[in-house]
């Protein structure tokens, strides 16, 4: 039987799975409609659509001229061939319907560097009926070696 912690871990890991498929519709579906996402450069994307659109731009799954993108133009497609995985996901249930998760991650395939990148993401995850959705995420890079 899946515990609340297991379900949260699965929801968070869905971020990496959607990233690696470059499935930005799937990535967007992991977030609540009013979610917040702060990326490693400090850009604060508000709402599921903004989060999805800005990620889609960096994965080159939308046109460079798409509206609603909050990413510099030179970042188009930087993650087109990237692979992202969580090395560890720690979960703490705050209430039966609210959890905080921390995911230590590694990524390769950023077009701006040949080196792997790593960091930690912090997630606030909430239960909506029978599924867990990301309400907020903050991404922090540990070994920043690429130019922004």
């Amino acid at each position: 039987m899946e515990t609340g912690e297991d379900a949260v871990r699965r929801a968070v890991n869905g971020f990496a799975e959607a990233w690696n498929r470059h499935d930005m519709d799937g990535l967007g579906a992991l977030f609540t409609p009013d979610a917040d996402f702060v990326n490693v450069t400090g850009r604060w994307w508000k709402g599921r659509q903004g989060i999805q659109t800005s990620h889609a731009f960096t994965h080159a799954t939308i046109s460079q001229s798409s509206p609603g993108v909050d990413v510099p133009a030179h970042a188009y497609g930087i993650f087109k061939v990237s692979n992202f995985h969580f090395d560890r996901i720690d979960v703490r249930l705050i209430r039966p319907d609210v959890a905080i998760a921390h995911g230590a991650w590694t990524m390769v395939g950023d077009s701006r560097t040949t080196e792997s990148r790593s960091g930690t993401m912090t997630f606030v995850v909430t239960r909506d009926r029978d599924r867990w959705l990301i309400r907020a995420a903050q991404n922090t890079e540990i070994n920043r070696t690429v130019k922004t």
Side-chain angles (χ1 to χ4, degrees):
M1 177 181 212
E2 185 175 62
T3 68
E5 289 181 6
D6 292 337
V8 170
R9 196 171 282 108
R10 187 168 37 83
V12 168
N13 200 54
F15 181 90
E17 293 168 355
W19 179 288
N20 293 335
R21 290 190 313 270
H22 307 286
D23 173 8
M24 298 302 107
D25 290 336
L27 187 135
L30 299 169
F31 290 85
T32 63
D34 62 345
D36 292 303
F37 187 98
V38 178
N39 77 2
V40 296
T41 65
R43 290 190 181 276
W44 183 358
W45 300 328
K46 297 179 182 185
R48 174 189 290 152
Q49 191 59 52
I51 294 164
Q52 181 177 328
T53 300
S54 292
H55 276 98
F57 185 84
T58 62
H59 286 257
T61 61
I62 60 173
S63 166
Q64 281 185 281
S65 61
S66 296
V69 173
D70 182 23
V71 181
H74 69 271
Y76 184 76
I78 58 175
F79 301 134
K80 187 175 182 177
V81 297
S82 63
N83 186 280
F84 180 101
H85 74 274
F86 287 108
D87 304 305
R88 185 183 78 248
I89 301 172
D90 296 333
V91 175
R92 182 166 41 113
L93 289 173
I94 304 300
R95 296 189 325 220
D97 61 343
V98 178
I100 295 175
H102 293 92
W105 58 265
T106 303
M107 180 180 60
V108 296
D110 179 330
S111 68
R112 301 166 296 174
T113 182
T114 57
E115 296 179 21
S116 66
R117 294 174 58 189
S118 62
T120 302
M121 289 183 75
T122 301
F123 297 90
V124 176
V125 188
T126 57
R127 190 172 61 207
D128 181 21
R129 291 178 287 262
D130 61 344
R131 66 183 285 212
W132 289 83
L133 296 172
I134 301 166
R135 186 66 171 256
Q138 165 80 46
N139 197 1
T140 304
E141 187 162 6
I142 295 170
N143 67 336
R144 188 82 174 150
T145 58
V146 297
K147 295 179 182 179
T148 58

